[in-house]
Amino acid sequence: MRQDIWKFTLLLIIAGIVGLALGAPLVTLLVMALGIIGMQISGLRSLRKWVENPGGNPMPETSGQLYQLHRDLSRKDAQYTKRKRRLNEFVSQFRSAIGALPDAIVLIDNEGKIEWANGNAEHLLGIRWPADAGLRFVNLIRNADVAKMLRPSEPPTEGVEVTGTVHSQIINLKCVRYTNQQRMVIARDVSRLIQVNKMHADFVANVSHELKTPLTVLRGYLEIIENSADLPQKYLKPLTQMRTQSARMQSIVSDLLYLARLEDHNHRGTFQTVDVTHVINAIMEAVQPLIAEKNHKIELDVDYSLSILGIQTELYSAFNNLITNAIHYTPKDGLIRVRWCASTDGASFSVIDNGIGIAPQHIERLTQRFYRVDTDRSRDSGGTGLGLAIVKHVLQRHNGELIIESNEDVGSEFRCYFPTEQLVVVKRTQSDADSESA
Ligand code: ADP
């Protein structure tokens, strides 16, 4: 800038001197000023041309301040071009990596239109890129659950299983929201996994089924021998133990078979209105001897007007497991509260005890098959280690959820939550419920 001022001042001084010599200083000064302005305008114009197309136009011949500006701009342009090249390389590497994934990836915009898809999208979903760009995803994959999963308001789910249109595989579709506007659908062929799971479930069900008859025979004979008058005394204890263990095996086999039935999605019973009060009353009657044995106090808090759309036997089994667990895992003279009441977003069946409680590290694993906090205690109480797995499956079949809260040596709460759409409200009073149960 200072250099320019010196240069222009010098030019104006020269013009002034020449003007004085010629006798017209103002005219020469004016001509020189116009010349300087013209030079600047021409420099700016060529700089603008160069900025518009740095590659196509020659570097403008500028000096002073314009020259500086030009140098700064060309340095920035070189940096920008380098960064752009690097970004382009990164994007193309990223796309090649996504393209090489064994899963199908489809990017969709806020209107549900396809923005991009990798090569496997064609193999798994029949979506071709770029031919299908701009088409609505739900028009190509016609499935109500998929449409629901893609709704902006829908919370993330475990995914939806559909039958592939190309090779009839079973495909799991998951939706991931990666910006406010865009979603990524990840599709994976899970046919093999489902087949292996089915084989595993069938195997467990078959083994359990095969064990049922031999165990019944064994138990029957053991009872006969145990009750025979001429049985030597020394055999009595081992025989009693054998009978207890075979009874335990029978319980495990029958729980395993029950679980296999619950896992079988083709074997879904028909949902009917289930009177939960009636179910609770039936369980309370059945567990009365156990309660009396441990001298527990029971508190019932039940909403008589609330019923569930579901399968009565399954709900009985789930609630019964929770109540018997509370009885078993609460020392004598305990307090067990059973609640069935509505909440803002549905209703909950809860069993709250002041028993031994559970340490936090076990809580997440309690619904796994055969997981026990204390194996000996579970065996002593006649537990199979399958009760909470059954509860979890029953709740899944009823769109419910099991929530466990517990503190060691303080007590536990096992809450079965059911969403509003699973509920039926029937207007009736406690006396109606009592007389119906009777
Ligand atoms: P089990 O047949 O052993 O009772 P469950 O699946 O019903 O099997 O329960 C799994 C484990 O969870 C039990 O072994 C026990 O350790 C723990 N548990 C379940 N209910 C309670 C409870 N109310 N209080 C304390 N521990 C419990």
Side-chain angles (χ1 to χ4, degrees), residues 127-180:
I127 292 176
R128 288 162 301 133
W129 174 260
D132 292 338
L135 297 184
R136 282 172 63 79
F137 186 84
V138 287
N139 288 349
L140 300 180
I141 309 296
R142 291 183 171 274
N143 180 295
D145 291 335
V146 173
K148 184 166 175 260
M149 177 180 78
L150 293 179
R151 268 185 225 142
S153 55
E154 203 59 26
T157 60
E158 281 292 295
V160 170
E161 250 113 66
V162 297
T163 307
T165 45
V166 188
H167 302 290
S168 308
Q169 324 96 310
I170 298 173
I171 293 163
N172 177 276
L173 289 169
K174 261 197 196 111
C175 174
V176 182
R177 218 166 294 275
Y178 64 100
T179 68
N180 273 347

Side-chain angles (χ1 to χ4, degrees), residues 140-350:
L140 300 180
I141 309 296
R142 291 183 171 274
N143 180 295
D145 291 335
V146 173
K148 184 166 175 260
M149 177 180 78
L150 293 179
R151 268 185 225 142
S153 55
E154 203 59 26
T157 60
E158 281 292 295
V160 170
E161 250 113 66
V162 297
T163 307
T165 45
V166 188
H167 302 290
S168 308
Q169 324 96 310
I170 298 173
I171 293 163
N172 177 276
L173 289 169
K174 261 197 196 111
C175 174
V176 182
R177 218 166 294 275
Y178 64 100
T179 68
N180 273 347
Q181 306 285 321
Q182 286 150 309
R183 283 155 295 167
M184 172 161 58
V185 174
I186 305 165
R188 176 172 295 178
D189 182 353
V190 288
S191 317
R192 180 100 188 99
L193 192 72
I194 287 181
Q195 198 186 354
V196 170
N197 279 347
K198 172 128 187 27
M199 272 162 56
H200 169 247
D202 285 351
F203 174 75
V204 174
N206 289 340
V207 170
S208 311
H209 191 74
E210 291 301 322
L211 284 174
K212 229 172 129 177
T213 318
L215 275 173
T216 314
V217 175
L218 199 71
R219 217 180 140 194
Y221 279 123
L222 283 170
E223 263 170 38
I224 294 170
I225 302 171
E226 211 183 343
N227 293 329
S228 77
D230 51 355
L231 178 75
Q233 195 59 27
K234 62 176 178 178
Y235 294 132
L236 191 62
K237 198 172 166 210
L239 274 171
T240 313
Q241 272 182 5
M242 282 162 81
R243 191 172 47 80
T244 316
Q245 289 308 320
S246 62
R248 228 174 74 72
M249 276 170 82
Q250 258 186 328
S251 307
I252 293 175
V253 163
S254 91
D255 275 1
L256 278 173
L257 278 171
Y258 192 54
L259 259 176
R261 261 212 312 279
L262 290 175
E263 276 183 332
D264 184 356
H265 295 289
N266 300 323
H267 187 272
R268 289 189 84 101
T270 28
F271 275 20
Q272 283 169 343
T273 303
V274 178
D275 177 359
V276 177
T277 315
H278 177 73
V279 174
I280 295 174
N281 286 342
I283 298 171
M284 293 324 295
E285 215 177 298
V287 297
Q288 204 49 52
L290 286 177
I291 295 171
E293 196 184 303
K294 294 195 82 174
N295 199 31
H296 288 324
K297 186 169 175 246
I298 303 283
E299 272 180 23
L300 288 181
D301 177 6
V302 176
D303 184 339
Y304 303 92
S305 62
L306 216 52
S307 294
I308 298 183
L309 217 49
I311 297 168
Q312 176 148 339
T313 47
E314 292 184 7
L315 291 168
Y316 180 98
S317 161
F319 297 168
N320 184 44
N321 269 315
L322 296 181
I323 293 174
T324 41
N325 274 351
I327 297 170
H328 285 139
Y329 299 110
T330 302
K332 277 191 163 189
D333 305 317
L335 172 66
I336 295 167
R337 279 175 287 166
V338 177
R339 281 198 189 139
W340 167 237
C341 44
S343 57
T344 43
D345 55 349
S348 294
F349 169 85
S350 325

Side-chain angles (χ1 to χ4, degrees), residues 255 321-330 351 353 355-358 362 365-375 377-379 381-391 406 411-414:
D255 275 1
N321 269 315
L322 296 181
I323 293 174
T324 41
N325 274 351
I327 297 170
H328 285 139
Y329 299 110
T330 302
V351 182
D353 65 53
I356 59 170
I358 304 156
H362 297 292
R365 302 186 60 194
L366 287 182
T367 54
Q368 289 174 6
R369 287 162 195 227
F370 299 113
Y371 188 84
R372 290 129 160 160
V373 176
D374 180 339
T375 314
R377 199 193 286 259
S378 160
R379 285 206 180 117
S381 69
T384 60
L386 295 167
L388 292 180
I390 290 178
V391 175
S406 188
S412 314
E413 171 170 359
F414 287 78

